[in-house]
Amino acid sequence: MNIFQSKLILNFQSNDKKYTAGEWSPTRPGLILMATDEGNIEVWDLLEKTHEPSVIQNVTTAAISDVNASIINSKLHLLAVSDSCGTLHILELPWNLRHPTNNEKSSVQG
């Protein structure tokens, strides 16, 4: 008996790139951080755009293997990004990627 229910929330499709890792923002319900095999982090803000990323940040020339967002304190949120070469990159998330907009949770649920 399977007690878990699975639902497809989002379907990312692209012929141009391969997504290798992803993480929901720990503080922004409408924000997803996606990693690519091209070494980019794509920020998908579902309240702003649903058909393309809001921000693309190149981190490395290697494929990204994992991402992990961590809250250090209220003013410091970090994104750990590891690549296929074994390098760990630490990025600081800016204010707008840390603080939810008014009613963001209810907007995303809707």
Side-chain angles (χ1 to χ4, degrees):
M1 179 168 99
N2 186 359
I3 60 171
F4 297 101
Q5 184 177 6
S6 175
K7 290 184 179 181
L8 178 63
I9 296 173
L10 295 172
N11 185 10
F12 290 92
Q13 293 183 3
S14 174
N15 295 330
D16 300 337
K17 66 185 103 178
K18 179 181 173 188
Y19 291 104
T20 55
E23 173 124 335
W24 286 96
S25 167
T27 56
R28 295 254 339 254
L31 201 75
I32 305 171
L33 305 162
M34 298 294 293
T36 72
D37 65 346
E38 299 170 334
N40 297 327
I41 294 291
E42 296 183 355
V43 179
W44 289 74
D45 187 340
L46 302 180
L47 298 179
E48 186 179 321
K49 301 176 186 179
T50 57
H51 64 285
E52 65 183 4
S54 300
V55 177
I56 299 174
Q57 175 66 51
N58 181 258
V59 177
T60 178
T61 57
I64 294 175
S65 53
D66 198 17
V67 294
N68 187 289
S70 296
I71 301 170
I72 306 305
N73 59 45
S74 63
K75 295 183 180 182
L76 183 61
H77 295 198
L78 299 177
L79 184 66
V81 178
S82 61
D83 67 27
S84 60
C85 293
T87 304
L88 176 63
H89 308 266
I90 305 294
L91 308 173
E92 183 177 350
L93 294 174
W95 188 90
N96 64 319
L97 299 182
R98 295 191 315 254
H99 294 278
T101 61
N102 292 336
N103 301 318
E104 181 168 345
K105 184 175 181 178
S106 61
S107 296
V108 171
Q109 286 176 333

